[in-house]
Amino acid sequence: MFILKNNESLDIARKLVQSTSLGESLDLLKEKNHSAGVEPGELLGQILGLSTVNLIRTMQVDFIAGEIVGEDRQDIIDDYVVESLRRQTLLALKDGAERMEKCQEILSVAEGLQVFWAEGTEEAKGPGPRYFCVKEVLSRLGDASNYDLRDAFFEFTYLQHKYFIDFFRALLKVAPAGGSQKIQEGEHGG
């Protein structure tokens, strides 16, 4: 069992943000977004909501969930959202209160996207929940026909998941299954 010490969740969150190159990804997604009606705050909330649900679901992989208890996982997720907001350059946040409000918005977006992992739904079949999360975010941004943005979101989501897996394998000193870096869909439910 991996037990977190004081402020270790914040250190993990910082390393997660850094290892996934979140800042560069945000800049690229902003550049590819052509929807004139989307304000930077909305774009940021949707992107970080997608990123957060990706982390939430990745942390439910058996080898992570078995080593990091639920309360510690939640601390890492909360710190990840805060650290993501601290490092982003899409939107200037005036103070801590505004940052915390944005954190709540991001966590709400992430919670709403978890519906795509619900068992027994059609969305849980086929290309997978991450695919449907991206489609939902694109729809919310009103830029669903922007293929450059769509492709950038898919690449962001799937690479980020891989980086999260790699990060936790190194943190928990877990060897890849079968000597391969590939994660089987059944191992993490999508």
Side-chain angles (χ1 to χ4, degrees):
M1 180 81 52
F2 190 83
I3 310 259
L4 295 181
K5 299 173 188 129
N6 289 344
N7 295 325
E8 196 168 13
S9 66
L10 180 58
D11 185 48
I12 289 170
R14 286 179 176 150
K15 289 175 182 173
L16 281 167
V17 170
Q18 182 178 1
S19 72
T20 60
S21 302
L22 184 62
E24 292 87 359
S25 296
L26 288 171
D27 291 342
L28 175 67
L29 293 168
K30 178 184 176 188
E31 176 186 315
K32 301 250 182 226
N33 181 45
H34 301 136
S35 182
V38 177
E39 295 180 20
E42 176 66 15
L43 179 63
L44 180 65
Q46 292 298 317
I47 293 170
L48 291 183
L50 179 63
S51 177
T52 302
V53 76
N54 207 359
L55 177 59
I56 290 168
R57 298 311 299 197
T58 300
M59 291 183 75
Q60 292 178 2
V61 172
D62 291 342
F63 82 89
I64 299 169
E67 290 295 320
I68 302 175
V69 296
E71 185 176 303
D72 287 343
R73 283 195 313 265
Q74 188 60 51
D75 288 345
I76 292 169
I77 290 162
D78 292 343
D79 287 340
Y80 175 79
V81 173
V82 171
E83 190 61 23
S84 296
L85 282 173
R86 277 193 189 120
R87 293 189 183 199
Q88 61 82 28
T89 58
L90 290 179
L91 181 67
L93 299 169
K94 297 174 194 147
D95 55 26
E98 191 174 22
R99 185 178 297 123
M100 290 315 297
E101 185 178 316
K102 194 57 140 172
C103 283
Q104 292 306 312
E105 176 188 327
I106 290 164
L107 289 169
S108 178
V109 168
E111 184 178 324
L113 291 172
Q114 288 200 59
V115 68
F116 295 108
W117 272 271
E119 290 189 38
T121 63
E122 281 301 309
E123 290 83 3
K125 301 173 187 166
R130 285 181 178 80
Y131 170 86
F132 290 104
C133 285
V134 168
K135 298 283 280 185
E136 177 65 20
V137 166
L138 287 168
S139 172
R140 291 176 185 178
L141 294 174
D143 218 354
S145 62
N146 179 344
Y147 297 112
D148 287 342
L149 182 62
R150 182 198 66 190
D151 292 346
F153 262 116
F154 284 134
E155 183 176 1
F156 167 72
T157 303
Y158 288 101
L159 280 177
Q160 189 181 52
H161 174 64
K162 180 198 175 310
Y163 294 149
F164 287 156
I165 290 290
D166 292 346
F167 175 85
F168 282 107
R169 283 200 190 284
L171 177 72
L172 301 171
K173 296 173 180 46
V174 175
S180 166
Q181 290 292 322
K182 184 172 179 356
I183 303 301
Q184 300 297 320
E185 287 296 314
E187 183 178 346
H188 57 79

